[in-house]
Amino acid sequence: GGTTPVCDGAGAGCITAADCAKTVCRDSCVDLQSSPAHCGACGHACAAGQACIAGTCGAPVYAACYWTNEVKPLTRSLDYGGPTLPLGAARPSRLALAGQTILAAAGQPQASLSFVSIPTSSVATLQLPGSDLEGIVLTSGAALITNAEVGTLEVIGLDGRVLDEIPMPDQQSYPDPIGVAVAGTNAYVALNGTNKVARVDLSSLAACQGSDPSPPACVSGACAPGRRCIGGTCRITCGEVANVVDLTAV
């Protein structure tokens, strides 16, 4: 994976060395960030069962271990793939991978998102409200997390900032927002128990991640249009619910 043949002629599937926008290793145009035969440098091959992720050989699979409060690396055959990554008190149930960082969402004993460095095993944990995180997906430099107990779509920057907490509609007395998926600038959130899906317009996601050095304080929880009260200050919103589809009516 991660290679293209480099040829002198114009054969099918071949390019010239001058046209290789990545790195020429031997007779191949190589992506050093993803090639298991040339991971990080020409000729540096990963061990059997490993993958090349962001230029470093490592486990291709990671498993969230709820009862042991850790993340386990696994090989492609699901054998033990290296030292476990402990998360302290957090019990992870959902994972996402951003380069060399694992984002581990946990609902117990309190909702939290742990940022786990694969190279160093260091962990930074962000506490979130509630105790039931159900889904996580990465998009455009942010993590979207469904917070079922609170009834929000949490928007978390990969730098650990809480960017937004988008309220979901039709909340029930049991966990509501569950799964989440992204297509383009829209997020689709399944609302448990209602047979409905909420479409969230994320066209302002880039703006909410930008510089906002002096956000105004919330006044009785209220903010000007385009801002939402997060942690006592009015932050630029990352998105809003655009519409809700009742699947029983489709």
Side-chain angles (χ1 to χ4, degrees):
T3 64
T4 300
V6 175
C7 312
D8 293 332
C14 297
I15 62 172
T16 65
D19 290 333
C20 177
K22 297 174 183 175
T23 304
V24 175
C25 293
R26 299 177 184 172
D27 296 325
S28 298
C29 180
V30 174
D31 185 348
L32 298 179
Q33 298 298 296
S34 61
S35 172
H38 307 280
C39 188
C42 289
H44 182 253
C46 296
Q50 287 189 324
C52 181
I53 303 170
T56 302
C57 294
V61 179
Y62 289 89
C65 299
Y66 178 89
W67 290 111
T68 54
N69 308 68
E70 61 192 0
V71 174
K72 282 186 177 290
L74 304 172
T75 67
R76 286 189 173 89
S77 59
L78 302 185
D79 294 322
Y80 175 70
T84 58
L85 304 169
L87 299 183
R91 292 185 168 181
S93 58
R94 305 288 187 272
L95 301 179
L97 183 64
Q100 289 289 295
T101 301
I102 298 170
L103 279 66
Q108 297 291 331
Q110 178 183 332
S112 65
L113 181 65
S114 296
F115 296 79
V116 187
S117 169
I118 295 174
T120 66
S121 300
S122 62
V123 179
T125 300
L126 173 68
Q127 300 296 326
L128 296 171
S131 59
D132 189 2
L133 303 183
E134 288 290 340
I136 180 171
V137 65
L138 303 184
T139 182
S140 301
L144 307 181
I145 303 173
T146 47
N147 193 323
E149 181 175 338
V150 179
T152 58
L153 180 65
E154 306 278 344
V155 185
I156 310 297
L158 297 185
D159 57 2
R161 291 182 298 153
V162 178
L163 300 173
D164 202 354
E165 296 174 340
I166 304 172
M168 293 293 101
D170 298 329
Q171 293 303 291
Q172 307 294 316
S173 59
Y174 41 78
D176 197 352
I178 303 293
V180 57
V182 173
T185 59
N186 292 302
Y188 297 88
V189 180
L191 304 177
N192 183 43
T194 68
N195 294 315
K196 296 178 180 179
V197 174
R199 179 174 70 88
V200 181
D201 181 357
L202 295 174
S203 56
S204 59
L205 182 58
C208 80
Q209 295 181 78
S211 177
D212 190 19
S214 301
C218 307
V219 179
S220 300
C223 297
R227 290 181 177 268
R228 193 172 355 259
C229 188
I230 306 294
T233 59
C234 292
R235 308 287 182 85
I236 298 173
T237 57
C238 297
E240 297 289 352
V241 174
N243 64 299
V244 178
V245 175
D246 187 339
L247 298 180
T248 62
V250 174

